[in-house]
Structure formats: C-alpha cells, structure tokens
Amino acid sequence: MISIPGQLAIKTIHGRNGDFNVGRLATSIGEFVVKNAELDQYAEGKYEGDFVIAEIRPSTYNASGRMVIEIRALLGGMTLSNIDTLSRDEARRLSPQEVDPIDEEAQTPAPAAPKAPVKAKSHNPRDPLVDTTPFGSESAAQPPEAVADEDEALFGALWPLGDSVKLDATVDRRVLRQQRDRLGALGYEFAPLSQDWYRAQP
C-alpha cells in the first residue's frame, strides 16, 4: 500500500441498475481508473487529497462489441481536502460508455460450487403466500412498521440510524446503492470530506 496525493475526477453514469460512479485518479506516478463501490455515494466532481492505493492492476471488460483494457487502482482509503466541479471537457474524458461494475462482475465467471440435491418442498398452509399482483398494478401502501422492518433489513448493523451514518463499502454494490438512495429519501446528506451521511437539520 502507498499513500499519494492526487486528484480524483468522478463522473455519474445513469445505468440500468441505477446511477453509478466511475473515477479517474491522477497522481505523480500515473493516471488510473477507480471503480471502488464507495464512489457511488459521491456527487460528480473533482476531489483532491491523499489516496491510499492498495493495488494497481490491469483489468478488462467487454462493452459495445469492444474489449477495454485499463489500469485500475483499488483504493484502500482517502483523505479529501478540496472539492471542485467537473468541467465539460473533463466529463467527456470519463467515457459515458463505461460498464456498470455490477454488470462487469456478472461477466466474470464464478467458480462452480458443488450442487446440493434439491428436495421437493410441500406447501405448508402457514407459509406466507406468494405475491401474485399483476405487473404494473399499484400495491397497497405499506404500514410504517413494515417500512421500518425493511429499513432494518437493508441497513443491518447500522440500524437504528443515528444523526450520522457511515456506510460499509464492503457490502454488495446493489445493497450499497439501495442504502445510499434510502438515506437520501430519509433526508440525509453525504459529506464527502468526512465520508459520512448526516441527517439534514430542519
């Protein structure tokens, strides 16, 4: 691991799995693509500071009939000191054709695990029924208790939420994005310099 000053330019891309961010880190030893999951919390812009680089490696993915090879830096942490807006030219340099890291991970074949025999499951009348609401129908509004239960399941050990929340970037990317979106809906705002979410004061 090395710690090095630099500037991280982050661009937001609207993908089929929701908004995601890609970054380009410019340092004295080179320029690298950054696709850490925690970047999805940040607004588009330029972030200056000290960056802990845990790994530098080549990476490939397929997009629109082409194979892309890029040099990636895996960040182990960062201490930010300044934020600026992204100019139009800088935004253009960060390709809008980027593949969502969720889709990229799906392209990577997972090692085959031994399959356990599947047992036929008999229906127990006490089991909850399967939702057969037709697609596109509006479901009934959920009671507050059900919403709180869903929030507790979504945030896990972070629940109940306090006035400040620090998300765990090691969780699944989809979960991290759901947590980000839910915090925004609950009135929290992300503070990039401290890398925490804070409940907005009325």
Side-chain angles (χ1 to χ4, degrees), residues 41-102:
Q41 302 173 82
Y42 291 77
E44 192 171 270
K46 293 185 292 188
Y47 297 83
E48 291 182 15
D50 292 316
F51 299 88
V52 177
I53 300 177
E55 182 183 354
I56 296 173
R57 61 180 169 80
S59 183
T60 62
Y61 64 90
N62 299 318
S64 304
R66 61 196 170 96
M67 176 175 273
V68 178
I69 302 172
E70 58 192 16
I71 305 298
R72 280 198 199 162
L74 176 66
L75 297 182
M78 53 187 167
T79 305
L80 301 176
S81 57
N82 190 35
I83 305 167
D84 202 357
T85 55
L86 206 59
S87 71
R88 187 171 293 167
D89 287 341
E90 290 165 331
R92 213 175 287 127
R93 283 186 65 209
L94 291 163
S95 170
Q97 300 300 318
E98 291 281 354
V99 170
D100 188 332
I102 289 176

Side-chain angles (χ1 to χ4, degrees), residues 12 27 33 35 53 55 63 68 77 121 128 169 186 194:
T12 300
T27 71
V33 173
K35 292 188 176 175
I53 300 177
E55 182 183 354
V68 178
K121 186 179 176 184
L186 291 172
S194 65

Side-chain angles (χ1 to χ4, degrees), residues 27-179:
T27 71
S28 60
I29 61 169
E31 199 168 291
F32 310 99
V33 173
V34 178
K35 292 188 176 175
N36 284 46
E38 59 265 30
L39 294 190
D40 287 342
Q41 302 173 82
Y42 291 77
E44 192 171 270
K46 293 185 292 188
Y47 297 83
E48 291 182 15
D50 292 316
F51 299 88
V52 177
I53 300 177
E55 182 183 354
I56 296 173
R57 61 180 169 80
S59 183
T60 62
Y61 64 90
N62 299 318
S64 304
R66 61 196 170 96
M67 176 175 273
V68 178
I69 302 172
E70 58 192 16
I71 305 298
R72 280 198 199 162
L74 176 66
L75 297 182
M78 53 187 167
T79 305
L80 301 176
S81 57
N82 190 35
I83 305 167
D84 202 357
T85 55
L86 206 59
S87 71
R88 187 171 293 167
D89 287 341
E90 290 165 331
R92 213 175 287 127
R93 283 186 65 209
L94 291 163
S95 170
Q97 300 300 318
E98 291 281 354
V99 170
D100 188 332
I102 289 176
D103 294 332
E104 197 177 315
E105 289 163 5
Q107 288 179 9
T108 307
K115 292 186 177 179
V118 178
K119 293 183 181 177
K121 186 179 176 184
S122 60
H123 177 68
N124 184 336
R126 281 175 273 186
D127 286 346
L129 296 175
V130 175
D131 182 9
T132 58
T133 307
F135 180 74
S137 299
E138 290 295 326
S139 57
Q142 292 182 302
E145 301 83 20
V147 173
D149 289 346
E150 286 182 7
D151 285 345
E152 184 175 0
L154 175 61
F155 289 101
L158 298 173
W159 189 261
L161 302 175
D163 288 335
S164 70
V165 179
K166 187 170 194 68
L167 295 183
D168 177 7
T170 63
V171 301
D172 181 77
R173 280 182 192 268
R174 288 183 198 273
V175 172
L176 185 69
R177 291 180 193 176
Q178 290 170 352
Q179 291 175 339

